[in-house]
């Protein structure tokens, strides 16, 4: 399975003056944890990191430290996530029939989740990892007035990985360029084109590291995982 990792953003909400994925959690850059999960996922065979060329020296240094056994290609990103994924699709090897797209900032996704999505995408045109919403959601207008309360039984919080048939996703991106659609994830392009997208059960811990508070939560989760795998002594 081919994996594209959009990693071209700047950490505005993180208050960082550089790519937030280069910030460290437990002495490893955020992007390193994402790459380690991809390395450990048995279904992933190839990794493409979509980033700004100005970050390539840092990314090459990280890759050298990780010493991954799977091929990794650096791909120039665009001005938006949508443009970056479009660039990534063009850089896929010709043999790629399905692709997973996983945000580099979701550094807590486990190899099991990557494997589950890689397996499921072979039997459907598109999918996203997602978790059922637990909170009551309100639809609010521009004045802060509640307009409605949707039934949360039908609401899911979208995550990544998202998986797609490569040929269909390229067609949807091309249509998005033609019609000037602006979307925040690739599943929305499928939806606009009337193509079915399936839900795969995500992980509650698969948060997107966006703010300094998220960094602290990510550190706590990674610490918990590490402690569970430490040997015990009598």
């Amino acid at each position: 399975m081919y994996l594209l990792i959009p990693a071209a953003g700047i950490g505005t909400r993180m208050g960082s003056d550089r790519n937030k994925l280069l910030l460290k959690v437990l002495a490893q850059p955020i992007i390193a944890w994402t790459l380690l999960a991809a390395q450990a996922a048995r279904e992933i065979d190839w990794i493409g990191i979509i980033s700004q060329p100005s970050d390539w020296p840092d990314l090459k240094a990280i890759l050298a430290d990780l010493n991954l056994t799977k091929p990794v290609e650096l791909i120039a990103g665009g001005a938006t996530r949508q443009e970056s994924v479009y660039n990534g699709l063009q850089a896929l090897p010709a043999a790629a029939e399905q692709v997973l797209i996983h945000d580099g900032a979701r550094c807590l996704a486990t190899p099991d989740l990557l494997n589950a999505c890689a397996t499921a995408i072979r039997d459907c045109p598109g999918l996203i990892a997602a978790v059922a919403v637990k909170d009551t959601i309100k639809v609010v207008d521009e004045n802060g007035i509640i307009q409605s309360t949707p039934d949360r039984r039908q609401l899911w919080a979208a995550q990544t990985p998202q998986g797609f048939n490569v040929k269909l996703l390229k067609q949807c991106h091309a249509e998005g360029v033609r019609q000037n659609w602006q979307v925040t994830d690739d599943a929305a392009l499928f939806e606009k084109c009337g193509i079915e997208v399936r839900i795969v059960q995500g992980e509650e811990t698969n948060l997107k590291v966006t703010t300094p508070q998220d960094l602290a939560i990510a550190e706590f989760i990674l610490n918990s995982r590490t402690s569970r795998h430490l040997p015990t002594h009598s």
Side-chain angles (χ1 to χ4, degrees):
M1 181 60 62
Y2 299 84
L3 175 68
L4 289 174
I5 303 175
I10 298 174
T12 306
R13 282 176 288 180
M14 185 67 74
S16 174
D17 59 355
R18 60 178 185 152
N19 191 328
K20 67 183 177 185
L21 301 189
L22 301 175
L23 301 177
K24 291 189 175 181
V25 180
L26 293 188
Q28 286 276 27
I30 291 172
I31 188 68
W33 292 105
T34 309
L35 291 167
L36 288 170
Q39 168 71 18
R42 66 181 180 277
E43 297 288 342
I44 303 300
D45 302 305
W46 180 96
I47 302 166
I49 304 174
I50 313 166
S51 59
Q52 302 302 340
S54 57
D55 288 331
W56 287 2
D58 288 318
L59 289 170
K60 287 177 180 177
I62 291 168
L63 289 168
D65 286 340
L66 294 178
N67 195 28
L68 305 181
T69 60
K70 297 178 180 180
V72 180
E73 183 170 333
L74 298 180
I75 303 161
T80 65
R81 184 187 188 281
Q82 191 172 339
E83 286 182 16
S84 290
V85 173
Y86 180 87
N87 291 353
L89 290 173
Q90 311 316 309
L92 283 173
E97 295 183 1
Q98 290 94 18
V99 64
L100 293 186
I101 300 169
H102 182 62
D103 290 341
R106 290 190 184 272
C107 61
L108 300 172
T110 66
D112 286 345
L113 180 58
L114 292 171
N115 287 333
C117 291
T119 300
I121 192 54
R122 295 188 176 99
D123 298 318
C124 64
L127 62 79
I128 70 169
V131 292
V133 169
K134 297 191 290 290
D135 296 322
T136 297
I137 303 297
K138 302 291 184 180
V139 178
V140 180
D141 68 13
E142 64 275 8
N143 298 313
I145 306 301
I146 294 172
Q147 301 298 297
S148 63
T149 305
D151 184 351
R152 69 182 179 192
R153 290 175 297 179
Q154 296 181 316
L155 297 177
W156 289 69
Q159 301 180 342
T160 65
Q162 299 191 355
F164 303 95
N165 174 282
V166 170
K167 182 179 179 180
L168 288 175
L169 186 56
K170 284 182 175 181
Q171 291 173 355
C172 290
H173 267 273
E175 186 66 11
V177 171
R178 190 179 73 82
Q179 299 207 38
N180 196 31
W181 290 336
Q182 303 297 318
V183 297
T184 55
D185 73 356
D186 297 278
L189 288 174
F190 261 44
E191 293 162 36
K192 283 180 172 290
C193 291
I195 304 174
E196 179 182 288
V197 181
R198 180 186 300 178
I199 290 292
V200 171
Q201 181 63 50
E203 296 171 332
E204 295 290 344
T205 55
N206 183 22
L207 63 87
K208 188 174 184 180
V209 177
T210 304
T211 67
Q213 291 80 6
D214 295 332
L215 273 176
I217 296 169
E219 184 169 314
F220 174 81
I221 293 170
L222 289 168
N223 258 325
S224 299
R225 291 177 182 174
T226 302
S227 64
R228 286 202 303 270
H229 290 93
L230 289 176
T232 57
H233 300 278
S234 56

